[in-house]
Amino acid sequence: MAQAGSAHRGVGGQRAAVAAPGCALWRWALALLWLPTAAAGPSRRQWPVPYKRSSFRPEPDPYCQAKYTFCPTGSPIPVMKGDDVIEVFRLQAPVWEFKYGNLLGHLKIMHDAIGFKSTLTGKNYTMEWYELFQLGNCTFPHLRPEMNAPFWCNQGAACFFEGIDDSHWRENGTLVLVATISGTTPV
């Protein structure tokens, strides 16, 4: 007598697998779930969503209000001379480290920036991505009674400013030289 699940000799002495008793029922259920999807035809949504360049910033919803000014010390990106050598730094520290220390760093929730140093002038610059409506406002969705879905105040932009807060990045995270580029390299 053969045991359940063992292979039996089929036609021509070849082995044939014996299916588990509930397997046929599972296959029928899967086929029934697949049928409506196949009948609907190809999906109207495309994933991933293709990148679409925009020439303007969308108007923010009046619900989203910033407590502090966006990029208060921002400055234009300076023109670098062709014979300049620019050092590029990776800057990283835990999000909200000013409030929670390294707690979010243990969860790998980090804030990143890029630092630049002109060897010709000795000036430093930082480029960071900042949220327009403060971190808490863009990190968590808002539940509004007049809307069916969560609402996000998550617009942001790059902020470029003179100086690198060396002590902040060294004490709380990372300040590492990652590359050198010439003044003619577009940033």
Side-chain angles (χ1 to χ4, degrees):
M1 178 187 306
Q3 294 182 7
S6 66
H8 294 285
R9 298 274 175 194
V11 178
Q14 295 178 349
R15 291 184 161 221
V18 176
C23 189
L25 182 60
W26 179 83
R27 287 182 181 161
W28 274 105
L30 186 60
L32 288 174
L33 288 173
W34 175 80
L35 191 59
T37 306
S43 174
R44 284 179 253 158
R45 290 186 176 187
Q46 182 181 359
W47 186 257
V49 176
Y51 178 76
K52 180 182 174 188
R53 184 167 296 280
S54 180
S55 60
F56 63 94
R57 177 178 301 285
E59 283 294 320
D61 188 292
Y63 183 84
C64 300
Q65 297 294 319
K67 186 174 180 180
Y68 305 104
T69 305
F70 166 77
C71 196
T73 60
S75 61
I77 298 173
V79 176
M80 301 292 181
K81 295 184 179 178
D83 59 342
D84 198 355
V85 175
I86 291 102
E87 297 176 336
V88 182
F89 295 90
R90 172 181 174 238
L91 311 172
Q92 187 178 54
V95 168
W96 286 351
E97 51 76 26
F98 60 89
K99 190 169 186 173
Y100 300 113
N102 195 30
L103 176 68
L104 296 176
H106 292 297
L107 301 171
K108 306 289 186 228
I109 301 173
M110 308 297 276
H111 175 74
D112 296 281
I114 300 172
F116 301 96
K117 179 183 179 186
S118 166
T119 57
L120 196 61
T121 65
K123 288 188 174 183
N124 295 327
Y125 302 92
T126 301
M127 184 171 63
E128 297 185 76
W129 180 261
Y130 271 105
E131 57 286 337
L132 295 181
F133 307 109
Q134 275 73 62
L135 187 59
N137 218 1
C138 76
T139 304
F140 306 105
H142 299 274
L143 301 176
R144 295 169 61 181
E146 70 275 10
M147 300 180 91
N148 291 335
F151 177 77
W152 295 85
C153 292
N154 60 356
Q155 286 187 15
C159 177
F160 191 90
F161 54 93
E162 191 170 336
I164 295 176
D165 188 352
D166 293 19
S167 61
H168 166 77
W169 295 107
R170 279 197 179 105
E171 292 171 14
N172 299 298
T174 303
L175 189 152
V176 177
L177 177 68
V178 293
T180 56
I181 60 176
S182 74
T184 58
T185 304
V187 178

